[in-house]
Amino acid sequence: MDNVVYLIMRRMRTPLLVLIGTYAVAMAGMVVIPAQDAAGHPVPTSFFHAFYFVSYMSTTIGFGELPNAFTDAQRIWVSFSVFATVAVWLYAIGTLITLLQDTTFQRAILESRFRRRVRRLREPFYLVCGYGQTGTALVRSLTDRHQRAVAIDIDPQRVNLLKLDNLREYVPSLCADARQPSSLEDAGLRHPLCKGVVALTNVNETNLKIAIAAKLLHPEITVICRADSHEVEANMASFGTDHIYDPFDTFALDMAIAIQSPCLALLSKWLAGYEDQSLDAPIFPPAEGRWVLCGFGRFGKAMYRHLREQGLDLTVIEALPHKTGIPKEGVVHGRGTEAVTLEQAGIGDAVGLVAGTDSDADNLSIIMTALALNRTLFVVARQNHRYNKLLFERVGAQVVMMPSNIIADRIRVRLGTPLLGDLMALARDREDEWACELVSRVVALVDEYAPHVWEIRIDEIEAPALCALDRRGISVSVEQLTRDPRDRDRVLPLIVLLRMDDEERELLPAPDVRVRSGDRLLLCGRADASRTLTWTLRNLNVLDYVLTGNAAPGGLVWRWLARRRARGV
Amino acid sequence: MNPEKVVFGFFIVLALTLNFGFFVGEIDNPEHHHVWELFVVVLVNLVATVLKFGDRTHMGALLLATSLVAMLQLIGAALIWTIAVHATEAGMTPAVMASIVSLSGGAMIANVVSVVLLVIETFTLRR
């Protein structure tokens, strides 16, 4: 259905509820108050009569007193009810009218309500500035993990859309200009529970201003920014912005990794993926040969740098080389959408093509023309707008790069499972065979859907049972933890990917490595394995069974019985 | 925690429990089924229905549908009651009471479905 219908229905909810409530009270009063007939005999008023009277009371006042003339007690009640029901009707109709009118007043109410809601937040939350494609994806994945968020955006339509999105958690949102520090303050920048600010607007300067405001007004919090240009990036970094994501650079680096070690690229894609998505197939970009690069803008330059580092030959096609700069081996002048330009760039004997201009139509046209000239090309396409998804799926590109999704994924992983970043950094030093082996272990574990990836901090909150044993000096190994608490001969479908404590980071810890309190673990596997493991970590009896095989009785009575039996009574 | 879900959960469970309260008793004995209870059941169900207005999700639409079904049956029951008492010579007979109570029983099933849907939604929340 149309969004407008939903908005009207939503807005009419309160008036309708008030209307129902008032009518109910008025009717109930009519039924309760004793009535009498013309002869003075008491007559009960039925709900039917009460409903009949209240229905015409508010709309046609002065119709008469039915079915009998009222007593004075009834008249007192009716005089109050008349005003109440008329007022409620006016309110209901008035609400509909204001919906169609100017909303300046409502804006003021909205702002104060938003401030109040943000003030009342009692859980840690993230402040997301910009609810565009990236912001939407990020807020959704945060709330799916039961983390709280507050969103502001300059476009009222997007804020309305957020209210209609069915999110797992309530997300306070306001249409405001994030460049004004006051709006950031309203959105909870100085709130003691604000854990971080994520600046995701599509304007670099706005993101920069948000970062500055965040660092000045609340220096301790994490600031995560999107930046599309290196100057802005350097500027942000200079005053301590915690994480800066450049979609083009990130993607180009991913491509470089995919060329260098396809398994590692696949592994990182799986571990960072959404759980209900099916596993992606591996891609094998050609590791040697010549690539043709169309468009030498921000994306083109990032790809150029990373592909060059891989030792690939490159030919660049650019329509406006005097504006974008010229790489040292020169440039083919043109857009790449015509066969002539592509042939001039030697598309016939190239192995790869990057369609990286900022126009989706051009990119699609480049790919179609190039594939007509050389069917064997490995094609990387840049998609700028979400609504073109269908076209890019059809065009025959092996990799489609969409800036907003890349950033949302990165930030989601950074906030949800920060250890994954450490894992990838360590894995980059390993050989690709190592990653291939891990990939095959993961596949064996989860079949066709992306694995569940989660972190455990061994502390009193997340693993009280293990901490209790640790205090008693009993050590627990990785292998013991992964046993199934229902049957300790079986092993849970999970892999411990990383163990980390204050001193060291250990990739794929060996089965006999001890897990102590203070450790942090990164695991992947099936979602049910994560729940089972939580059980082991929290319940001392379960942990005891996993370690020793004794099923100790848990209840008071049973423990008492067990002690009696042990004493040999 | 989403306050909207709390309020709706409260009203739908209240509707179910009140409905059950009206429903229990001998099916055709007017002594066992009080008119006030029917009134409050209709009221709470109306509130629960209006609360689901404008919910775009699949689950929201299903809950609105079950609430509408319950409303339909309860208004039918109220209508029969009114017509029997005020518009017929015979007044409230055991047969009429039986049909009123069975209609409210139908509404109760719709309310049970609502509550089950609510529970399913709660359980499918991803951790």
Side-chain angles (χ1 to χ4, degrees):
Chain A
M1 258 198 276
D2 193 1
N3 274 347
V4 177
V5 177
Y6 280 108
L7 275 177
I8 291 176
M9 279 172 86
R10 260 191 111 89
R11 204 68 80 83
M12 285 312 288
R13 233 192 241 178
T14 326
L16 278 178
L17 290 174
V18 175
L19 201 63
I20 291 170
T22 316
Y23 266 58
V25 171
M27 277 168 66
M30 291 303 293
V31 175
V32 169
I33 295 168
Q36 55 192 21
D37 62 11
H41 302 300
V43 219
T45 313
S46 69
F47 274 103
F48 165 57
H49 287 143
F51 176 69
Y52 175 58
F53 179 74
V54 170
S55 304
Y56 78 71
M57 173 177 69
S58 56
T59 45
T60 48
I61 297 164
F63 196 78
E65 298 172 346
L66 285 176
N68 299 303
F70 283 172
T71 63
D72 282 347
Q74 278 178 306
R75 286 186 183 136
I76 294 170
W77 178 250
V78 169
S79 10
F80 283 113
S81 304
V82 166
F83 289 104
T85 46
V86 169
V88 170
W89 266 117
L90 287 179
Y91 165 55
I93 294 165
T95 313
L96 258 186
I97 293 168
T98 37
L99 193 69
L100 308 170
Q101 280 180 340
D102 191 291
T103 51
T104 324
F105 175 66
Q106 286 175 334
R107 158 108 200 144
I109 293 177
L110 273 180
E111 271 179 19
S112 76
R113 190 184 297 157
F114 173 73
R115 271 197 293 273
R116 207 166 52 237
R117 279 187 179 147
V118 171
R119 236 193 346 257
R120 276 196 308 212
L121 282 173
R122 289 289 171 269
E123 289 164 59
F125 66 94
Y126 289 99
L127 168 55
V128 179
C129 307
Y131 195 70
Q133 298 179 18
T134 321
T136 312
L138 181 65
V139 167
R140 176 158 292 276
S141 54
L142 280 175
T143 50
D144 276 352
R145 284 171 181 268
H146 291 273
Q147 283 175 311
R148 304 296 301 259
V150 173
I152 54 176
D153 196 295
I154 199 163
D155 183 352
Q157 234 171 348
R158 293 209 198 122
V159 178
N160 275 335
L161 281 177
L162 184 149
K163 285 182 180 146
L164 292 173
D165 281 343
N166 186 43
L167 298 167
R168 292 280 184 226
E169 299 290 337
Y170 177 71
V171 176
S173 54
L174 183 70
C175 165
D177 188 349
R179 279 175 298 183
Q180 293 169 3
S182 63
S183 5
L184 290 174
E185 245 189 303
D186 288 348
L189 179 58
R190 302 232 257 188
H191 195 294
L193 287 172
C194 182
K195 267 165 77 184
V197 174
V198 189
L200 293 176
T201 69
N202 48 9
V203 186
N204 274 327
E205 282 66 40
T206 308
N207 292 344
L208 182 63
K209 276 195 120 171
I210 296 169
I212 294 173
K215 276 295 162 196
L216 287 177
L217 294 175
H218 196 162
E220 306 90 82
I221 60 173
T222 316
V223 182
I224 301 175
C225 282
R226 170 192 176 150
D228 296 350
S229 97
H230 287 292
E231 293 108 72
V232 175
E233 228 171 282
N235 193 344
M236 284 173 176
S238 65
F239 56 82
T241 304
D242 300 81
H243 304 285
I244 304 159
Y245 290 101
D246 177 337
F248 306 115
D249 225 30
T250 311
F251 177 79
L253 181 62
D254 281 357
M255 262 329 274
I257 293 175
I259 292 173
Q260 211 174 36
S261 47
C263 284
L264 184 60
L266 187 64
L267 186 70
S268 115
K269 219 170 160 188
W270 283 359
L271 293 182
Y274 287 92
E275 248 160 76
D276 39 9
Q277 264 175 6
S278 50
L279 289 178
D280 304 286
I283 51 162
F284 295 103
E288 46 200 36
R290 203 164 49 76
W291 285 59
V292 174
L293 199 66
C294 300
F296 198 59
R298 294 167 304 181
F299 179 56
K301 286 201 182 87
M303 284 301 278
Y304 178 85
R305 205 174 60 247
H306 286 282
L307 292 181
R308 177 118 297 230
E309 275 168 18
Q310 297 302 313
L312 293 163
D313 272 339
L314 292 165
T315 308
V316 178
I317 301 177
E318 170 59 50
L320 305 161
H322 51 280
K323 270 174 85 178
T324 59
I326 298 169
K328 70 174 189 302
E329 50 280 87
V331 65
V332 177
H333 203 278
R335 282 195 302 171
T337 47
E338 319 83 12
V340 187
T341 331
L342 285 171
E343 268 163 358
Q344 208 181 329
I347 196 77
D349 58 348
V351 291
L353 170 80
V354 178
T357 70
D358 55 5
S359 146
D360 277 353
D362 280 355
N363 288 345
L364 289 167
S365 159
I366 290 168
I367 296 169
M368 286 159 77
T369 319
L371 283 178
L373 296 170
N374 181 355
R375 281 245 55 105
T376 58
L377 283 174
F378 182 90
V379 178
V380 177
R382 165 179 172 188
Q383 179 193 345
N384 296 291
H385 295 286
R386 197 203 300 219
Y387 49 76
N388 286 327
K389 185 164 180 266
L390 200 62
L391 302 179
F392 277 93
E393 276 170 6
R394 286 286 178 84
V395 78
Q398 277 80 357
V399 185
V400 178
M401 176 268 179
M402 199 169 149
S404 54
N405 282 356
I406 288 178
I407 298 296
D409 275 355
R410 283 301 153 120
I411 297 176
R412 177 174 60 85
V413 170
R414 158 66 51 193
L415 298 180
T417 44
L419 284 184
L420 202 52
D422 296 277
L423 176 81
M424 284 305 147
L426 284 176
R428 218 161 286 165
D429 302 334
R430 300 291 181 105
E431 291 295 313
D432 198 37
E433 283 75 48
W434 177 87
C436 291
E437 199 193 313
L438 189 53
V439 161
S440 56
R441 278 181 67 190
V442 172
V443 173
L445 223 52
V446 296
D447 299 338
E448 51 190 311
Y449 290 102
H452 179 63
V453 180
W454 75 103
E455 279 188 40
I456 300 175
R457 193 186 283 272
I458 306 291
D459 57 13
E460 287 300 334
I461 298 157
E462 287 187 40
L466 207 158
C467 286
L469 282 193
D470 197 43
R471 275 197 303 274
R472 282 190 228 154
I474 303 171
S475 63
V476 181
S477 71
V478 169
E479 187 265 333
Q480 282 167 324
L481 266 192
T482 56
R483 283 188 197 158
D484 193 331
R486 292 185 198 90
D487 173 7
R488 62 195 290 272
D489 296 332
R490 283 192 309 182
V491 176
L492 289 173
L494 55 84
I495 301 173
V496 182
L497 295 170
L498 183 70
R499 189 190 70 84
M500 187 170 148
D501 54 23
D502 294 336
E503 289 117 44
E504 54 168 354
R505 299 185 296 177
E506 198 173 353
L507 209 52
L508 289 181
D512 58 339
V513 167
R514 303 281 165 229
V515 180
R516 294 189 188 82
S517 59
D519 283 3
R520 289 168 72 192
L521 301 177
L522 177 71
L523 305 100
C524 81
R526 290 219 291 264
D528 51 340
S530 116
R531 286 191 286 272
T532 318
L533 184 63
T534 315
W535 192 30
T536 316
L537 289 173
R538 294 195 178 180
N539 191 324
L540 204 53
N541 288 341
V542 175
L543 185 59
D544 192 42
Y545 166 75
V546 163
L547 291 180
T548 61
N550 301 339
L556 266 180
V557 179
W558 290 105
R559 268 200 302 235
W560 178 71
L561 280 175
R563 269 203 303 277
R564 267 172 69 97
R565 202 175 306 143
R567 268 189 263 126
V569 180
Chain B
M1 195 185 70
N2 191 336
E4 205 181 296
K5 296 203 155 93
V6 176
V7 172
F8 178 71
F10 170 78
F11 273 101
I12 199 70
V13 174
L14 187 63
L16 173 62
T17 47
L18 287 170
N19 203 338
F20 179 72
F22 177 76
F23 179 77
V24 287
E26 272 172 40
I27 194 165
D28 55 2
N29 188 348
E31 296 283 312
H32 293 182
H33 306 283
H34 204 276
V35 65
W36 273 95
E37 276 181 324
L38 185 61
F39 171 64
V40 180
V41 173
V42 174
L43 177 68
V44 173
N45 251 304
L46 258 178
V47 172
T49 312
V50 173
L51 279 176
K52 272 294 127 184
F53 273 20
D55 191 338
R56 286 206 301 184
T57 58
H58 185 64
M59 197 53 98
L62 270 181
L63 285 170
L64 180 60
T66 49
S67 292
L68 284 175
V69 169
M71 257 350 281
L72 201 68
Q73 306 224 23
L74 287 172
I75 287 174
L79 265 180
I80 290 179
W81 192 312
T82 310
I83 291 167
V85 171
H86 298 281
T88 61
E89 293 293 316
M92 178 61 78
T93 61
V96 172
M97 198 69 227
S99 59
I100 291 170
V101 173
S102 53
L103 273 173
S104 85
M108 190 166 76
I109 296 203
N111 278 329
V112 169
V113 174
S114 291
V115 172
V116 169
L117 285 177
L118 206 66
V119 171
I120 292 175
E121 196 194 13
T122 316
F123 270 102
T124 49
L125 283 184
R126 266 208 300 154
R127 284 267 148 211

